Amino acid sequence: MLPKSTGKWTEAEARHLLNRAGFGGSPQEIATFHGLGREKAVDLLLHPTEPEDAFRLPDWCNREQALADARMRREQFMDAQKSRSGMTASEAEAQRRKAFQQFQQDNRRNSVEAQGWWFNRILKTSAPLREKMTLFWHDHFASSIQKVKQPVLMMEQNRLFREHAFGSFKELTQSIVRDPAMMLYLDTQRSSKAMPNENFAREVMELFTLGEGNYTEQDVKEAARAFTGFQLNRFNGNVSQNAAAWDSGEKMIFGKSGAYNGRDVVNLIFQKDACARFMVGKFWEFFAYESPLESAMEDLAKTFRDADYEVKPVLREIFLSREFYGEKAMSTQIKCPVQYLVQMLKELEMDSAPMGFPIMGQTQLGQVLFMPPNVAGWDWGKAWINTNTLLTRYNLAGALTKGTMAGSMRGRDGMERMGRLRELAGRIAKGPDFAKIAAEPERNDTEALVDGLIGRFFCVPIPEKARQSFIAYADSKKGVSFTDAELGELCHLMMSTPYYQLC
């Protein structure tokens, strides 16, 4: 077991925990969280009282509604087919194109609504770790709405991730093998004994459970045979096992032989020690820092195996460990775009995002919910930052704090993006309530004002040189009174520093 943190539980540590195990918070939220003490704070994260169905889904996600919509589309398709019998070839083609465009338009609308729904949930939830783990699983078992093309199946997968957020990794893996969205994304609905899908079997071992080097090519080939026979009904999303398409022959996997099916393969994978080591490394790098000590990962792997792959005991050990609050972990992680956007809104005490802000921010920064780039998920860490994304972060912070833009966009489509950001800024009818961020009396002492904002925006002390530059800026702006506009400029200045990109 990892050595526990026995030091004083500080407010900075409470902020660090809420940043990493959630998406940050306002000063008041962090103070309340700190008041619980370390153990109770961790327990609250792991045992949220908010029900999983606390947020109402869009109507089209309702199972009955989804079936009704699918039935209607099928009837429209059949009617269109009949009507084309009397058309010329060009007229029939035009009608097919029009119907396809309408289908794409409906899917795009539902996709955007799904992305907005999840972002809003991440922002408003009182169960932040559950949403953070849902994001973790979305990246780990990556599939994209762009290929799946059925938003309702992606939302169903999102519900699955939330249900297993910190439950059994083994059961989640069993479920994901038969998950409709994953089946469409990795083409497993076409896998038969005549043509087994080796690509899927390889991803299950390499990306999902064991990591590279912990299986052989023969294991992949044999597992692919075992995974054959699953069929997906695209109309209603039901998955079944087609006995005729399943390869019922003997397979040799990890040195053991049997007439294995897909469930057997997953069970065999979880008998290998490499599975626990692979996953605790991913948990640690997601929540703490990259390149963890091998000895620490062995301790965590033992916890994971002893708990029969329940995630909760591993997370509890991480969040209570001394190492989690050490210098290597505190304020060293580059915020991913979703973290950056949500945490910024929380720190500015905005309980909702301006219209269009979340999806445009995600698009410009390179992390759109429900749209990871490939089956390996997003690249993390330094990959989030380059010249363009850094400037976009500054501009997005400016749009929130000032309703105006700072600087310009670069790149081939820079002018277009700048125009969109300006348009967005113009739509921000109401920015932060600056009276909550700093009341009038607090603005009379610029040094105290700056220190208060540093406590709000940064997890650890920033260099004194940077602090003094903020004070000098605030002094230069201070007139008869420190207005909201000037306070917005000061907030923007702080958010435009390298320190603010870290949590």
Side-chain angles (χ1 to χ4, degrees):
M1 177 172 273
L2 299 179
K4 273 189 171 186
S5 177
T6 55
K8 182 184 177 184
W9 167 243
T10 67
E11 195 154 310
E13 290 178 337
R15 179 188 294 274
H16 169 66
L17 176 58
L18 205 49
N19 285 346
R20 295 295 181 85
F23 298 86
S26 67
Q28 183 56 52
E29 288 171 329
I30 291 164
T32 302
F33 195 62
H34 175 245
L36 294 172
R38 195 190 310 272
E39 297 250 355
K40 286 187 178 177
V42 171
D43 283 343
L44 180 64
L45 289 167
L46 290 169
H47 301 279
T49 56
E50 180 182 277
E52 290 175 24
D53 60 355
F55 289 74
R56 186 173 180 270
L57 290 165
D59 288 342
W60 50 264
C61 289
N62 176 283
R63 187 78 173 175
E64 291 180 358
Q65 185 62 51
L67 281 172
D69 289 345
R71 193 176 298 114
M72 181 184 69
R73 280 196 299 274
R74 188 167 65 177
E75 288 171 357
Q76 288 175 339
F77 175 76
M78 294 173 70
D79 289 344
Q81 270 193 323
K82 289 177 186 173
S83 67
R84 282 199 287 268
S85 60
M87 294 180 180
T88 65
S90 60
E91 287 173 337
E93 177 58 26
Q95 191 197 60
R96 268 195 296 270
R97 191 178 298 119
K98 185 179 178 181
F100 181 67
Q101 287 172 344
Q102 182 61 51
F103 175 72
Q104 284 185 312
Q105 194 175 35
D106 291 345
N107 274 345
R108 275 198 297 273
R109 185 185 62 247
N110 289 348
S111 298
V112 169
E113 191 172 357
Q115 289 159 338
W117 178 87
W118 191 13
F119 186 91
N120 184 59
R121 179 165 188 151
I122 289 172
L123 177 63
K124 294 183 176 178
T125 183
S126 61
L129 179 57
R130 184 192 284 154
E131 294 309 311
K132 200 66 176 278
M133 281 303 300
T134 302
L135 179 61
F136 174 89
W137 292 126
H138 177 44
D139 178 67
H140 181 74
F141 292 116
S143 48
S144 171
I145 207 166
Q146 287 180 305
K147 181 173 180 182
V148 174
K149 298 186 187 305
Q150 292 185 236
V152 67
L153 298 183
M154 293 298 293
M155 287 290 273
E156 183 62 22
Q157 187 188 73
N158 184 260
R159 184 204 60 75
L160 178 71
F161 291 152
R162 188 168 292 105
E163 178 187 347
H164 292 274
F166 21 72
S168 168
F169 173 53
K170 187 194 296 185
E171 286 306 309
L172 175 57
T173 305
Q174 292 284 14
S175 297
I176 209 70
V177 166
R178 297 168 57 95
D179 174 68
M182 183 61 77
M183 289 180 69
L184 288 172
Y185 189 63
L186 292 181
D187 302 311
T188 57
Q189 83 278 14
R190 300 173 185 165
S191 184
S192 67
K193 60 183 176 184
M195 192 175 291
N197 183 336
E198 292 183 14
N199 182 48
F200 175 72
R202 188 184 313 281
E203 307 303 12
V204 168
M205 293 184 189
E206 180 177 329
L207 297 178
F208 297 168
T209 57
L210 295 174
E212 202 170 354
N214 294 303
Y215 57 88
T216 67
E217 283 303 304
Q218 187 63 24
D219 293 330
V220 169
K221 290 179 185 296
E222 296 288 82
R225 292 173 54 210
F227 282 124
T228 54
F230 289 127
Q231 285 192 333
L232 170 66
N233 184 328
R234 284 174 177 264
F235 175 70
N236 57 24
N238 289 339
V239 177
S240 59
Q241 179 80 42
N242 180 351
W246 173 57
D247 185 335
S248 59
E250 194 91 354
K251 297 108 182 168
M252 177 71 77
I253 302 175
F254 307 138
K256 298 178 180 178
S257 62
Y260 301 129
N261 59 24
R263 188 169 187 84
D264 296 328
V265 174
V266 173
N267 287 335
L268 288 170
I269 286 172
F270 278 82
Q271 291 172 16
K272 290 179 72 69
D273 287 348
C275 182
R277 284 201 304 273
F278 175 69
M279 282 309 298
V280 297
K282 291 203 71 171
F283 292 142
W284 184 266
E285 293 195 345
F286 185 77
F287 287 108
Y289 56 79
E290 295 178 4
S291 304
L293 287 174
E294 187 61 29
S295 58
M297 294 308 98
E298 285 299 332
D299 289 343
L300 272 183
K302 182 176 186 311
T303 298
F304 205 21
R305 283 192 293 270
D306 290 348
D308 196 21
Y309 294 96
E310 284 287 320
V311 175
K312 192 176 290 183
V314 175
L315 297 185
R316 181 177 172 78
E317 192 167 328
I318 290 174
F319 297 145
L320 290 176
S321 73
R322 184 176 59 207
E323 192 66 15
F324 181 71
Y325 300 94
E327 287 185 2
K328 287 179 70 175
M330 296 274 283
S331 202
T332 58
Q333 189 178 71
I334 295 175
K335 296 171 185 170
C336 70
V338 172
Q339 177 90 31
Y340 174 81
L341 295 169
V342 174
Q343 191 171 328
M344 187 161 55
L345 290 164
K346 283 177 169 286
E347 288 167 350
L348 291 171
E349 302 192 47
M350 298 174 70
D351 58 8
S352 64
M355 186 176 68
F357 184 84
I359 187 64
M360 195 198 62
Q362 292 169 54
T363 303
Q364 299 293 340
L365 297 179
Q367 187 186 34
V368 182
L369 295 172
F370 294 114
M371 288 173 59
N374 54 55
V375 69
W378 289 282
D379 290 332
W380 291 69
K382 292 178 181 176
W384 294 125
I385 297 290
N386 59 43
T387 308
N388 283 336
T389 58
L390 193 58
L391 188 57
T392 301
R393 287 181 180 221
Y394 298 164
N395 286 332
L396 288 167
L400 276 188
T401 54
K402 301 190 296 183
T404 56
M405 303 310 304
S408 61
M409 304 299 293
R410 294 180 181 175
R412 199 167 47 184
D413 57 346
M415 293 304 293
E416 181 187 351
R417 284 187 289 163
M418 184 171 67
R420 291 168 65 190
L421 280 169
R422 286 187 187 282
E423 184 185 344
L424 170 71
R427 291 206 302 268
I428 298 177
K430 188 179 177 183
D433 182 352
F434 285 109
K436 286 198 295 188
I437 293 175
E440 288 294 332
E442 298 172 42
R443 305 183 192 187
N444 293 328
D445 182 343
T446 51
E447 191 165 338
L449 173 64
V450 165
D451 286 341
L453 293 177
I454 287 174
R456 176 183 291 264
F457 295 133
F458 305 104
C459 190
V460 297
I462 62 172
E464 182 59 20
K465 186 177 178 181
R467 176 177 173 272
Q468 288 300 328
S469 71
F470 296 147
I471 293 171
Y473 183 84
D475 284 336
S476 72
K477 290 289 180 181
K478 185 181 178 186
V480 176
S481 64
F482 211 95
T483 66
D484 285 354
E486 290 161 350
L487 188 56
E489 287 184 12
L490 182 57
C491 291
H492 184 214
L493 180 67
M494 292 183 168
M495 291 173 161
S496 300
T497 60
Y499 317 111
Y500 189 71
Q501 312 314 313
L502 303 172
C503 71

